[in-house]
Amino acid sequence: MTQTMPQQMWHRQSRHICWLMAALVVAGLAAGDALPFLYTNTRAAINWTQPQLDEWKIEAQPRSVVPHVQFKYHANRTNSEPADSDAEFLERLRALRQNRSSARMLWYDAAAGDGLTYPPFVDKALKLFNLKQVAFEIENSVLSKVSCTACKAGAGLLQHYIKSGKTDAELMKMIAQYCTNLNIQSPRVCEGVAQLFGSEVIYVLQRVNLGPDELCSFIIGDGCGDVYNPYHEWEVIFPPVPKPPRLAELPIPLEAAPFFKVLHISDTHYDPHYVEGANADCNEPLCCRLSSGRPANPNAAAGKWGDYRKCDTPKRTVDNMLAHIADTHKDIDYILWTGDLPPHDVWNQTKQENLEIIKETVKQMTEKFPGVPIFPALGNHESAPVNSFPPPYVNQVDISINWLYDELDVQWRRWLPQSVSHTVRRGAFYSVLVRPGFRIISLNMNYCNNKNWWLLLNSTDPATELQWFIYELQSAEFSNEKVHVIGHIPPGHSDCLKVWSRNFYKIISRYESTITAQFYGHTHFDEFEMFYDPHDLTHPNSIAYIGPSVSPYYDLNPGYRIYYVDGDHDTTTRLVIDHESWIMNLKEANLYGYPIWYKLYTARAAYNMQALRPNDWDKLLNDLTDNQELFEMYYKNYWKNSPARPTCDAECKKRMLCDCKSGRSHDRRHFCADVESKIDEGSSKSWKSWFYRGLTNSYSLITSITYLPKYLLGYG
């Protein structure tokens, strides 16, 4: 089945949840006593239990108030320097474009048909819930109403079995058995998912009284309806300080002023078990390992430097990239490192292995960039199991997240001041005064992650992170500081809880004069997100830069970003002046045996932007909507010029540009109506013009021929 772009980009992190649900659907159909539960809307009244109150006091914590970084001096460096390598690659990029239709060498299109056979009761399940489509959607990370139905059925059955007194061991065995029988995943993946995630899911569901509708709306998001849930509605509190009057237009950074050169690395997904020549076309969530089996043919073998299929990053590729960066960009002032270090073997991870990967990559970064400050943010893959980040009130030793946060404090301490230790150990967030008047705040975006089952217990500002964020921003405003915000999951992404994202959006709007840029990862694509005044959608007030992944997972080239930030001078804005995206062509690297990293594009030159202020990005968004040629360039850059990128139709274009405009998650209808109507109108005009032009040309041709034979006109 051909995969479109939206099928590949949505909900990549939610697979393990739906494997549990899909298996439970069939488990219920096999047990006749559970069937009536599927078709009733009755459930027990909700008795909300408030978790133990948190005594943590924000204002009592130490703050970073002394500039933490002394940058090296780079003689004669200003932002008026021309980009010296753009022209160098024009011919190369033109050649790549011409070769796009050449035969694939590193990936393989399997024949249609799954070849699965099911027992009679499973056939019944497939007819009722179309689980084959659910399995396909899980594998391709697109969750529709079909997956929503399966989620509701599975959640209801799991709650039913919990209430009926089945033990955790019985439930997990049942999940693994039916996951295997359905061929949803391989037996070892089914067993691993059941063991790794089952106990946590059961623990949480034993302590909540939400029904399947609320549960699946919470987990899947707008793909499963917008179900009102009063126990997951809350508001942050702002201090009684008036918002400073906003400028009519932000100034453009001075052309000849000093700047900071900033490296942004995200989503490394280093796989220590990657093996060149292993099977890259396996039937599991992660391939290219010895355990993936032998490749069926040469096309199915994993490449030396990585693979476009479901494979993460080999060590040699990470080493080569860091060596290239250290050699090419010798004048980096600081590094933003926005998380997701472990690979995608989510069924087979342990706390110890994830900690080893964190330690190894921190050591690697320290050795490659000695003396360069690094500001990290926590990804959703650092925990084991993935997406599992219990808030501080979950403090039992066996399920607490302290094992991770305590180690992060130790590892991050080599770059961060002592004063941030308290917040890192509490919730893996921190605030650092980098230079006089310039602060970086790193947020733990896993507290907005709707795949974090612990938030079902209580999603109200987990770890008091957003209230602390407000405190830091208000202090920065009082001190005339500008702030850059970094994190992993973009706040407008569908993986971010709607209520958390809504509160975050209000914070951005209130402190728009203080926050001058945001930086995230997670999606693996090269993109951006817009923020607007909630009361005036014509006023863009912030921009979130979403950096490309190092991992090629999947169908992508590895990449990284370089930002140029307005530096230390009297009239500095601390805005991003420009940014470059650098990539490695994975196909060529495997073909010729050696990778070449090159600059794919520079934002202002590629998109003809006057500057990179929020209003400039808003103008670009309008241009992308109206100008198909410009959108195609953006689409190429979004996929990091991957030769494996799919085609993008009107629906794909609407979804992509709506993502750009929606800095607030699960609220597409509020932001995207104008974008979607313009694209629909453009598509309609294009189709109508094609039809009428063809009709007119045909009529003209017929009428221009005076003496047509009678038999041609049907008279003969």
Side-chain angles (χ1 to χ4, degrees), residues 12 60 93 109 155 162 167 169 207 229 234 282 297 301 366 411 617:
R12 284 190 165 180
L93 296 179
D109 294 326
I162 289 172
T167 66
R207 289 160 175 79
N229 187 341
W234 47 272
C282 70
N297 55 66
T366 305
Q411 297 300 320
W617 286 103

Side-chain angles (χ1 to χ4, degrees), residues 270-272 315 318-319 322 337 341 353-367 407 411 414-415:
Y270 156 56
D271 186 0
K315 186 177 187 301
V318 178
D319 289 340
L322 296 180
W337 195 19
L341 311 182
E353 183 171 10
N354 279 17
L355 289 179
E356 289 302 319
I357 288 176
I358 291 171
K359 292 175 185 177
E360 184 174 349
T361 51
V362 166
K363 180 174 180 288
Q364 192 178 36
M365 293 288 286
T366 305
E367 292 174 349
E407 186 60 40
Q411 297 300 320
R414 63 191 72 199
W415 304 307

